[in-house]
Amino acid sequence: ETRTALLDRSVQESPIRYQVRFYRDREALESRSAAYKVCTVEEGDCIMQPAAPAGDGTVFAEWRDSNDYIADFAVPVTEDRVYYAVWEDAVPAAQ
């Protein structure tokens, strides 16, 4: 006895995707102004840390999430996420 199985490719499920938004600072996050960077990620994938934005007299320190925790880009994405840049004052050059 022989059986033949047919695969209907039109029934394949589309992967679940989430948006990850990066903002230049906490204020931009809270006002939902234009994001510094937006990326779409498939569920379960990890994201790469984006390049640090340029500061105006300040130095980029780190990315934080909306709960003020330091961003951990090794954790797989399972929902939409937002991050904001944290800045430090630039240290004046020694004279």
Side-chain angles (χ1 to χ4, degrees):
E1 225 174 275
T2 304
R3 292 186 181 187
T4 302
L6 300 175
L7 174 63
D8 184 357
R9 295 192 187 275
S10 65
V11 180
Q12 290 180 344
E13 293 183 29
S14 297
I16 298 172
R17 292 189 171 104
Y18 297 104
Q19 276 200 340
V20 180
R21 295 179 176 273
F22 294 87
Y23 292 90
R24 292 189 54 75
D25 53 35
R26 179 81 182 172
E27 293 77 27
L29 166 69
E30 290 172 352
S31 68
R32 298 291 183 179
S33 62
Y36 165 70
K37 181 172 181 134
V38 178
C39 51
T40 302
V41 181
E42 288 188 11
E43 183 175 42
D45 286 351
C46 294
I47 56 173
M48 297 290 295
Q49 178 174 338
D56 183 25
T58 57
V59 176
F60 174 79
E62 62 195 6
W63 291 105
R64 291 196 175 241
D65 67 19
S66 59
N67 295 316
D68 296 323
Y69 293 111
I70 296 172
D72 183 355
F73 297 107
V75 175
V77 176
T78 57
E79 61 187 354
D80 290 338
R81 293 187 184 168
V82 292
Y83 297 98
Y84 68 93
V86 175
W87 301 90
E88 296 176 350
D89 290 332
V91 178
Q95 296 192 21

